[in-house]
Amino acid sequence: EFLDSFDAPILLIEGEPRVRSANTAACNLLGKDIKNIEGFKGGEVIECVYANTPEGCGQEIHCKSCTIRNTVMATFEDGLKRQRVPAYMDIDLDNEVKNIRFIISTEKVRDFVLLTIEEVGD
């Protein structure tokens, strides 16, 4: 209910990092039911092409430069908010790879990070 009080798509990230929960707006944006979001890594949820490699999300060489992952982890480490950070991710959309632009913000709340997806575009 707390997450649904926000209009923007929000993912609640726990420290591993895995998605603990998401609001309805995030489910709608991603076209996924909550059971296909909770407990998964961010790249798996967003359908990053590198999340499906043998190394997996967070372990692939490309993950070291993933702005979304790095922004979330930095917020976990120092507790500072990040606002309107541009991030680009290669996404598998219907068996076609597209480089998608995200504008994200992060905020630490207790032991979690709220990842807000403010914009999505080509």
Side-chain angles (χ1 to χ4, degrees):
E1 290 179 15
F2 169 71
L3 293 179
D4 277 331
S5 68
F6 297 94
D7 292 331
I10 295 183
L11 301 173
L12 180 68
I13 311 293
E14 56 190 358
E16 300 176 19
R18 290 190 181 270
V19 179
R20 175 69 175 267
S21 193
N23 67 0
T24 301
C27 292
N28 291 340
L29 174 70
L30 299 167
K32 295 187 176 196
D33 188 276
I34 191 70
K35 69 180 180 211
N36 295 315
I37 293 176
E38 290 180 336
F40 290 89
K41 292 185 176 186
E44 296 167 336
V45 170
I46 297 175
E47 311 258 346
C48 172
V49 295
Y50 304 112
N52 294 319
T53 64
E55 293 84 1
C57 183
Q59 303 302 313
E60 167 70 44
I61 189 77
H62 295 90
C63 301
K64 293 183 189 318
S65 62
C66 176
T67 301
I68 295 175
R69 179 181 175 77
N70 291 338
T71 302
V72 167
M73 297 310 291
T75 300
F76 268 119
E77 289 176 22
D78 63 20
L80 299 176
K81 285 184 185 183
R82 271 63 178 192
Q83 294 183 303
R84 300 200 50 81
V85 177
Y88 294 84
M89 188 177 278
D90 291 330
I91 305 292
D92 185 356
L93 295 172
D94 299 321
N95 295 320
E96 183 181 348
V97 176
K98 290 192 174 187
N99 188 262
I100 304 295
R101 178 184 57 85
F102 294 85
I103 302 294
I104 62 163
S105 294
T106 58
E107 179 177 357
K108 191 167 184 185
V109 178
R110 297 187 183 155
D111 294 333
F112 301 97
V113 168
L114 293 176
L115 170 63
T116 303
I117 303 171
E118 297 188 33
E119 293 178 31
V120 179
D122 292 334

